[in-house]
Amino acid sequence: MGLIKSITSAVSTAMGDQWREYFYCDALSGDVLVTKGKKRINGGKSSNTKGEENIITNGSVVAVNEGQCMIIVDQGKVVEFCAEAGEFTYDTSTEPTLFYGDFGENIGRTFSTVGRRFTFGGDTAKDQRIYFFNTKEIMGNKYGTASPVPFRVVDRNIGLDVDIAIRCNGEYSYKITDPLLFYTNVTGNVVEDYTRDRIDSQLKAELMTALQPAFAKISDMGIRYSAVPAHTMELSDALNEVLSAKWSELRGISIVSFGVNSVKASEEDEEMIKQLQRSAVLRTPDMAAATLVGAQAEAMKAAASNESTGPMMAFAGMNMANMAGGMNANTLFGMAGQQHSQEAAPVQTRQTEEGWSCSCGRAGNTGKFCAECGTPKPVDGWACACGAVNKGKFCSECGQKKPAGEPLYKCDKCGWEPEDPKNPPKFCPECGDSFNEGDVRQ
């Protein structure tokens, strides 16, 4: 009787699994990350009512919606994967059917399945499942620092580098970017819906741990803690970089956005930063002088309104304080003026050295002619008969030796040169100036 019951059960279950199934998934809410696919039965009108739940017949159809990803697990191993919206046909299943593929071949495979199930007492001895993953952005994950988080404040303008403690809160969103990793390392073969509340506490704890190195990367970029809400994209990238090993590479999760509602430092730390910034301003003599003048003006107002000791005694005390301090506003302003003069001096010196002085007294000329009288720039060297100007003993163009002791003439007013520079006329034909000793160059 046991054998007859087993063969009957094997034939019954094998024939019940001959129908091709249609698997689908309803719209996944923001709280559901993974759910198991369902067979559409269509009430009591469908003939496919006796098939096993965890058997997927060859040729079955799976509907994949936008924002979803589907995997097929056969005997605990992922055998199919689809992340494109539309209809997916599973045509490589190990469960044959007479209604899909080659009829003759499928008859033999069906009898083989019956024989296999008979050896298991009529049981299918197989587990095939379809899982749908929610690949949309999972939003509304709140976070908050229960205890202060260290933040490094760097201000290179004033040489500030100090650690403070801040508190922040806000929301972040993430999404499943690698469903295979998420299935392998997080969910596994779940029967019920896998919801976000089963993993949110772990993600939040790791996020709080990663905030400190992420803030360190933000501070290295020169971003002030008060400006962090305006740089959430940089903070998201920093968090993904810190959490990549645990989230992306282990669980297949990535942070999409990171919102900051507020960032607040303690009152002591904020006052310390303000005081350091005020002190840094006083490094320059002119700012120190201006601050001292303002303080003295306030002191004079307070002294004038002092009725207990009298204005004269108050002013006398203020003068004694200035003398004891050894520094006053005039001294500081003088130091600032000297500093500015020294900063501007190299520019003036360089301009003078780059220019040339004319015989009319105009200095600092940079062109070929004097800006005051139009006199050409003096030639530094001696002029050869070929027209080249040289500084050495021989001409660089024709190789002629530099004349020794014979005067060469050139008008010192307009720069005209005679054809024979050794025998000029008595007067320059261009400007009428007479040739004299000032026109002679060696």
Side-chain angles (χ1 to χ4, degrees), residues 35-331:
T35 188
K36 187 179 177 183
K38 303 176 183 177
K39 294 181 180 180
R40 177 170 288 177
I41 304 300
N42 195 20
K45 299 179 182 181
S46 176
S47 299
N48 186 13
T49 58
K50 296 183 179 180
E52 294 291 333
E53 179 182 1
N54 291 340
I55 293 296
I56 306 173
T57 305
N58 194 40
S60 295
V61 174
V62 183
V64 182
N65 297 321
E66 294 286 354
Q68 295 179 354
C69 175
M70 177 275 299
I71 66 171
I72 297 177
V73 181
D74 191 342
Q75 297 292 81
K77 180 181 179 181
V78 178
V79 295
E80 290 290 349
F81 174 90
C82 180
E84 296 182 2
E87 181 181 289
F88 178 84
T89 301
Y90 185 33
D91 56 2
T92 57
S93 176
T94 56
E95 287 297 318
T97 174
L98 300 175
F99 305 110
Y100 186 81
D102 184 81
F103 184 76
E105 180 182 352
N106 288 334
I107 288 179
R109 294 180 60 194
T110 300
F111 276 106
S112 176
T113 300
V114 172
R116 181 173 181 276
R117 293 189 180 186
F118 169 72
T119 60
F120 285 92
D123 188 71
T124 59
K126 186 170 291 187
D127 186 87
Q128 296 173 312
R129 305 185 184 194
I130 295 179
Y131 289 105
F132 290 90
F133 292 80
N134 189 350
T135 57
K136 298 189 293 293
E137 183 179 0
I138 309 300
M139 298 181 289
N141 304 280
K142 300 183 183 299
Y143 73 92
T145 53
S147 57
V149 178
F151 189 90
R152 181 185 177 192
V153 178
V154 178
D155 192 341
R156 295 180 177 86
N157 295 328
I158 63 174
L160 177 63
D161 190 345
V162 64
D163 290 331
I164 64 172
I166 63 173
R167 295 177 182 270
C168 64
N169 63 81
E171 295 184 357
Y172 70 96
S173 65
Y174 64 89
K175 67 183 303 183
I176 300 175
T177 54
D178 193 332
L180 296 181
L181 283 178
F182 194 76
Y183 170 79
T184 303
N185 297 324
V186 180
T187 63
N189 284 344
V190 293
V191 178
E192 302 295 334
D193 293 343
Y194 190 91
T195 54
R196 61 194 289 183
D197 57 352
R198 300 172 64 175
I199 194 176
D200 277 355
S201 59
Q202 180 68 26
L203 295 181
K204 181 180 178 181
E206 294 176 358
L207 180 71
M208 292 295 99
T209 304
L211 264 183
Q212 183 173 347
F215 278 153
K217 294 180 181 294
I218 289 294
S219 62
D220 287 340
M221 297 169 61
I223 299 174
R224 290 285 306 277
Y225 73 92
S226 57
V228 167
H231 296 272
T232 54
M233 291 298 296
E234 292 88 341
L235 190 55
S236 298
D237 294 339
L239 283 171
N240 276 323
E241 183 178 351
V242 175
L243 295 171
S244 60
K246 286 188 177 181
W247 286 27
S248 300
E249 300 172 11
L250 179 64
R251 303 189 183 105
I253 298 176
S254 298
I255 292 179
V256 178
S257 64
F258 189 85
V260 179
N261 292 335
S262 64
V263 179
K264 179 67 175 176
S266 64
E267 295 182 359
E268 294 81 4
D269 288 338
E270 288 186 350
E271 182 61 29
M272 176 191 63
I273 294 174
K274 291 179 181 179
Q275 185 61 40
L276 291 174
Q277 290 173 338
R278 295 192 196 102
S279 301
V281 170
L282 301 179
R283 293 182 302 176
T284 58
D286 47 0
M287 291 300 298
T291 304
L292 181 58
V293 169
Q296 289 175 347
E298 292 296 327
M300 291 175 68
K301 292 180 181 179
S305 60
N306 191 345
E307 298 179 355
S308 60
T309 60
M312 295 301 296
M313 293 298 296
F315 282 121
M318 186 175 63
N319 290 331
M320 291 178 63
N322 290 336
M323 293 175 63
M327 188 68 66
N328 53 44
N330 292 331
T331 304

